[in-house]
Amino acid sequence: MPSYRKLLQQVRAEISELDAERARELIDGGEPVVVDVREQDEWDEGHIPGAVHIPRGHLESRIERAAPDPSRRVLLYCSAGNRSAFAAKTLEEMGYEDVASLAGGFTDWKRNGYPVELQSGLDAPRRARYSRHLLIPEVGEQGQLKLLESKVLLIGAGGLGSPASLYLAAAGVGRLGIVDADVVDESERILADGWDVIVDGADNFPTRYLVNDASIWHDIPVVHGSIYRFEGQVTVFKPGVGPCYRCLFPTPPPPELAPSCAEGGVLGVLPGVIGSLQANEALKLALGIGEPLIGRLLLFDALSAEFNEVKLRRDPDCPVCGEHPTITEYIDYVQFCAGTREPA
Amino acid sequence: MTRVRIPPTLREQTGGQRELVAEGDTVRDLLDDLMSRFPALEDQLPFANVYLEGEDVRTLDGLDTEVNPGSTVILLPAMAGG
């Protein structure tokens, strides 16, 4: 029966090894994908800058994401060069053509005084709290750190804002601002405050047009949600990329033709559905993943349990985001929505 | 005949119906047909966006956009509710 020593010796004879000096030359040249195969606690105490962390137990399942091109050089390291030797053998078996293990491992790397990155990363309680996110390759530790640094402003703390804020807070969004209708007068100041994403769940047209205009001027994407009785609408207005709210609805309907939920009612669960969809879009925007609902309006009908989608396009003549804007500062939004105008 | 989806904000004007069948060769004809049968829609329709097969007719030929039998049209007024 082969002993550990014998097996290690055998594997080391079959793979290629580099010393720390040569490894550093390659890394400085930006050539290899560097993979740290140690455990989480070892990684947390410092690692080679630019390395990807894949504990050896997950190597086979996760390597393709880190190194999709099997012809590109992969440099593996662990603490002393033994685990990475076995890892190198595995990658060769998987078809990687140019794999090397760092002889002497991270220990030798540090002994040479080479650069070490100490992750500002997640501490143990956060790692436990966000463990489900960390397991998703599209989020992972980097994504979770992004969320923890992100700032999301919720307009409206009612039906839509409540479920949206629940899930955004639980996802670890670092700063959540909530503006309710009563403080709309202060919105102009608040909106200028460097938000990454705005979630619009307002219950009135003046606020929605105000939020739209501010988002264009401050270049902040808006996740729009609205509800009435059994139906909801969700979309993302991203300045410069897709249409804005005014491209979609240039003129607000007169108040008597557009009852609010307070006047016309809403099925209690509907804001839960639409507010959660808004949180989903906000998280995608904060993470920079997936295909946000830019230029697409998602319609949900709770009675038929159906989703529909229509396309939204930028209006080159839009008074705020068009080619020749005519509205460039805040207007009197209450008056604008008072219904004295003709439809466009 | 074309199926027209009626949004919740317009259902009081259509006797609660969620979908109507309308006749006409263009979007304008369809809307005229609906308004002749449900006159209360007249105030509302000018504020509603009209989508033919998911495309805003403003980006097509507007009210003159031709409709084929079997097309689906969605009427969509702004909703502020949150």
Side-chain angles (χ1 to χ4, degrees):
Chain A
M1 226 167 72
S3 67
Y4 168 68
R5 281 282 146 219
K6 240 166 96 182
L7 182 62
L8 177 63
Q9 210 171 15
Q10 198 181 319
V11 166
R12 289 185 66 180
E14 290 171 17
I15 59 152
S16 97
E17 291 185 307
L18 300 172
D19 63 17
E21 196 181 340
R22 176 73 186 126
R24 185 168 182 200
E25 280 171 25
L26 290 174
I27 292 169
D28 286 350
E31 193 198 334
V33 177
V34 183
V35 180
D36 184 324
V37 300
R38 298 174 301 160
E39 299 305 310
Q40 188 68 51
D41 52 331
E42 299 174 277
W43 164 269
D44 288 345
E45 284 170 22
H47 50 262
I48 296 179
V52 183
H53 180 219
I54 308 179
R56 197 181 150 223
H58 295 287
L59 185 67
E60 295 88 340
S61 60
R62 296 188 188 164
I63 187 64
E64 280 171 60
R65 190 169 178 87
D69 174 6
S71 66
R72 191 168 162 201
R73 188 195 290 265
V74 179
L75 174 62
L76 300 152
Y77 75 91
C78 58
S79 171
N82 297 339
R83 282 172 288 174
S84 59
F86 290 112
K89 175 78 178 151
T90 302
L91 291 196
E92 280 178 7
E93 284 167 3
M94 289 178 74
Y96 284 85
E97 294 161 21
D98 192 352
V99 185
S101 163
L102 175 60
F106 189 57
T107 310
D108 249 22
W109 178 274
K110 278 193 297 191
R111 193 178 295 140
N112 277 285
Y114 294 161
V116 170
E117 185 169 85
L118 262 171
Q119 197 84 350
S120 58
L122 298 169
D123 54 19
R126 282 183 158 174
R127 190 167 297 287
R129 185 177 308 143
Y130 304 118
S131 62
R132 268 58 172 174
H133 274 182
L134 300 181
L135 290 167
I136 312 173
E138 287 82 352
V139 183
E141 180 157 2
Q142 292 309 314
Q144 192 59 51
L145 288 167
K146 257 192 213 174
L147 289 178
L148 288 163
E149 283 163 18
S150 66
K151 296 189 280 183
V152 177
L153 179 65
L154 293 135
I155 308 290
L160 295 172
S162 302
S165 59
L166 165 68
Y167 285 106
L168 291 172
V173 167
R175 186 169 170 209
L176 273 180
I178 300 176
V179 182
D180 208 16
D182 300 342
V183 291
V184 147
D185 291 344
E186 276 185 80
S187 296
E188 295 169 18
R189 183 184 55 75
I190 296 166
L191 283 160
D193 216 10
W195 303 95
D196 298 310
V197 181
I198 296 171
V199 174
D200 181 3
D203 64 353
N204 62 84
F205 285 109
T207 305
R208 291 196 182 270
Y209 282 93
L210 164 68
V211 168
N212 180 73
D213 296 356
S215 75
I216 301 287
W217 298 328
H218 295 293
D219 193 18
I220 309 169
V222 175
V223 182
H224 169 95
S226 59
I227 46 175
Y228 184 71
R229 294 196 171 167
F230 293 100
E231 298 210 4
Q233 306 176 353
V234 190
T235 187
V236 172
F237 298 119
K238 186 161 188 189
V241 178
C244 78
Y245 188 62
R246 285 182 187 263
C247 299
L248 175 59
F249 296 115
T251 315
E256 66 275 17
L257 299 183
S260 68
C261 295
E263 293 153 340
V266 64
L267 188 70
V269 68
L270 185 68
V273 175
I274 300 298
S276 302
L277 285 169
Q278 285 182 279
N280 181 54
E281 292 304 303
L283 292 176
K284 279 157 57 185
L285 290 168
L287 287 165
I289 61 171
E291 290 87 42
L293 283 166
I294 299 169
R296 299 148 60 200
L297 179 69
L298 187 67
L299 307 169
F300 175 65
D301 179 347
L303 282 179
S304 59
E306 272 182 329
F307 284 97
N308 269 291
E309 199 178 299
V310 297
K311 292 191 190 76
L312 309 183
R313 296 193 193 278
R314 283 186 85 171
D315 177 0
D317 298 324
C318 174
V320 175
C321 82
E323 286 159 17
H324 305 286
T326 52
I327 300 173
T328 53
E329 55 186 52
Y330 293 106
I331 59 171
D332 183 337
Y333 293 91
V334 173
Q335 192 195 353
F336 173 65
C337 295
T340 52
R341 292 156 56 104
E342 290 297 303
Chain B
M1 54 161 260
T2 302
R3 295 185 313 147
V4 181
R5 239 182 126 268
I6 307 297
T9 43
L10 299 186
R11 282 184 202 151
E12 267 158 40
Q13 288 77 15
T14 61
Q17 297 197 72
R18 294 160 65 202
E19 192 173 278
L20 293 168
V21 171
E23 300 292 337
D25 296 329
T26 65
V27 170
R28 188 191 312 277
D29 294 345
L30 295 181
L31 300 186
D32 284 346
D33 179 29
L34 292 180
M35 287 189 283
S36 69
R37 287 149 59 200
F38 304 98
L41 283 175
E42 261 177 59
D43 292 339
Q44 295 262 22
L45 282 184
F47 293 96
N49 291 348
V50 183
Y51 297 87
L52 174 65
E53 305 300 350
E55 282 284 355
D56 190 333
V57 300
R58 287 179 298 179
T59 67
L60 304 171
D61 294 324
L63 294 176
D64 297 323
T65 304
E66 288 182 18
V67 290
N68 298 315
S71 316
T72 303
V73 168
I74 294 179
L75 299 180
L76 193 81
M79 313 192 296

